[in-house]
Each structure stands twice: as C-alpha cells, then as structure tokens.
Amino acid sequence: PAPLLARVHGADSATPLPLPYRRWLWLSDGAPSAPRRLRLASCAEGEADALAGTPLRPIDLSRLVVERTRSQRGLPPLEARLPFALSSHPAAQSDLAAAMIRRLEEDFLFHTHHQNELALPELVGFTDAELRAQATTPSGCRALQDAAASLVERLQALLQRDNE
C-alpha cells in the first residue's frame, strides 16, 4: 500500500498506517537505513539474547524438546502431485488455464517438499508412540509425570522471573 511504502521510505510520517499494519508495525522517524540502538537498562546476562532470539532459552528446553520431520514422526511422506486431475477438463484447454494448472502443480510440489522436510518441535517422551509405550508401566508413567512436572516448574520459574 502507498501509505506504508511512503512511511518505509521516510517520505510521509504524518499519514497513519493502514489498519492491518498498525497492530504490529511501528516505524520511527528518520531515514530507513539509519542504525537503531536498543537500550536495555536492566537486563540480566543473556536475557537480551533470549528475548531477541529464543525467549524460552533460559529454561533449557533443549533437553525437553526435539525437532522431527514427518518421517521421524512415523508419518508417510506427502505425495508430490495433485490429488485430482484438471488438465483434461474442457475449460482447462486454453493457454491461460494450462499456465494456471502448471502454477498450481508447482506450488503443490513446493508445499509437499516443504512439509516433508519441515522439522516440528515435539516434547521428548510425549509423542504418540512414546506415550503408548510408557503409559503401560508404572515406571513409565512416573517418568512422564516427572518430565511434565520439570517442564511446568521451569516455565513457572521463568514466568515469575519475567514478572519481577
């Protein structure tokens, strides 16, 4: 939108941003290439990095969270072709329709490749397979309870520290 571009390029700071951008985007006055400095008056060691990168880093989630792809989660890969065929339809015979179908196929191929390679975070010990395996024994249930209690304790400690 023109008002947003004008603000980004520093030409118009008086015009309010379009409504969809006002909630999350704030542009300060000055040239867009001017360096911005963030002054942190009372941050403990490592908190600024945690807030800028990984807010839950202080509770060391690396022991409790692992990233897994579809195949690592035991899911079949998504097929790289559309689940329907449009090319033989009479309305799909024009050059424009054929180009649209090619674009749709390319986008679908990109999406399936992305989804097959995407690693999603999961709690260690809490995948469906791990829950089924551990929930059958008393010691497995205790291990699940201990892991959940540890996570809750760490999150509550971080919340208390954030509220101070």
Side-chain angles (χ1 to χ4, degrees):
L4 179 60
L5 290 174
R7 288 288 295 269
V8 168
H9 294 292
D12 182 12
S13 61
T15 304
L17 288 172
L19 184 61
Y21 298 108
R22 276 187 238 152
R23 279 175 265 165
W24 62 271
L25 183 63
W26 177 77
L27 298 173
S28 63
D29 292 334
S33 60
R36 306 281 194 256
R37 302 261 187 255
L38 177 64
R39 291 179 193 89
L40 299 172
S42 62
C43 274
E45 183 70 30
E47 282 187 354
D49 290 336
L51 289 172
T54 311
L56 296 177
R57 186 181 306 149
I59 63 171
D60 189 24
L61 280 181
S62 63
R63 295 185 313 134
L64 300 172
V65 176
V66 65
E67 291 187 353
R68 294 183 175 134
T69 62
R70 284 183 65 85
S71 62
Q72 291 169 329
R73 293 190 313 266
L75 298 172
L78 296 174
E79 290 190 36
R81 61 183 169 87
L82 290 170
F84 50 84
L86 296 173
S87 58
S88 61
H89 192 278
Q93 303 310 310
S94 71
D95 290 340
L96 177 61
M100 290 172 62
I101 291 171
R102 275 194 308 278
R103 172 64 190 268
L104 185 61
E105 289 169 345
E106 290 170 6
D107 288 351
F108 193 79
L109 177 66
F110 174 80
H111 173 75
T112 56
H113 177 72
H114 176 72
Q115 289 298 311
N116 286 332
E117 299 299 317
L118 181 65
L120 296 175
E122 291 186 330
L123 285 173
V124 173
F126 288 90
T127 65
D128 290 340
E130 291 167 328
L131 286 173
R132 279 193 296 274
Q134 290 193 5
T136 58
T137 65
S139 63
C141 289
R142 274 193 298 282
L144 289 172
Q145 287 175 331
D146 291 345
S150 171
L151 178 60
V152 168
E153 182 179 301
R154 290 172 183 207
L155 288 170
Q156 287 175 338
L158 183 61
L159 177 63
Q160 183 178 0
R161 211 171 84 205
D162 285 348
N163 288 331
E164 292 175 352

